[in-house]
Amino acid sequence: QVQLVESGGGLVQPGGSLRLSCTASGIIIFSIYHMGWYRQAPGKQRELVARINSGGSTNYEDSVKGRFTISRDNAKNTVYLQMDSLKPEDTAVYYCNAILRDTSTDYWGQGTLVTVST
């Protein structure tokens, strides 16, 4: 059974940084999964924040470009989201997503709350 477990969320002041981690279990070959971070703010739809595909290519939502960096460590079955220069509008529950390459099979983590506030 595939499980994704996020960690690293919390309360941070505007301008601060956080690093989120998502570790997968139950996946035999992590490297063939496209990995993504999504977020959902109160009253809003879930949106894609950043994605890194199985080949290492990345893409970002426009509002986080230059501030967030997604990376992966296939040896550790882990994907990271480094978030710098955080803004109050980044406040949301952040979810990890894994999509098996060339299929529609995907998995979600339980989410981790990020709150950017004074």
Side-chain angles (χ1 to χ4, degrees):
Q1 182 177 356
V2 176
Q3 279 193 312
L4 303 177
V5 179
E6 302 102 332
S7 61
L11 173 64
V12 62
Q13 292 188 342
S17 298
L18 283 175
R19 188 175 82 152
L20 305 183
S21 299
C22 170
T23 299
S25 62
I27 290 179
I28 297 174
I29 307 176
F30 181 76
S31 61
I32 64 173
Y33 283 77
H34 305 310
M35 301 300 298
W37 285 98
Y38 288 71
R39 66 185 178 188
Q40 187 166 19
K44 295 188 176 181
Q45 289 190 329
R46 190 174 297 188
E47 64 176 359
L48 176 66
V49 176
R51 177 179 288 148
I52 183 166
N53 70 15
S54 60
S57 297
T58 60
N59 64 285
Y60 297 91
E61 192 270 329
D62 285 346
S63 70
V64 307
K65 285 180 180 177
R67 299 188 299 121
F68 290 11
T69 303
I70 189 171
S71 61
R72 64 192 296 161
D73 185 337
N74 291 333
K76 296 182 179 180
N77 282 16
T78 299
V79 62
Y80 304 98
L81 185 67
Q82 178 66 41
M83 305 186 295
D84 299 318
S85 302
L86 282 161
K87 304 176 181 180
E89 50 264 44
D90 295 317
T91 294
V93 178
Y94 284 71
Y95 297 90
C96 178
N97 173 259
I99 299 175
L100 179 59
R101 188 177 64 193
D102 300 327
T103 75
S104 60
T105 301
D106 72 337
Y107 304 95
W108 291 91
Q110 82 289 347
T112 185
L113 177 62
V114 172
T115 303
V116 185
S117 175
T118 55

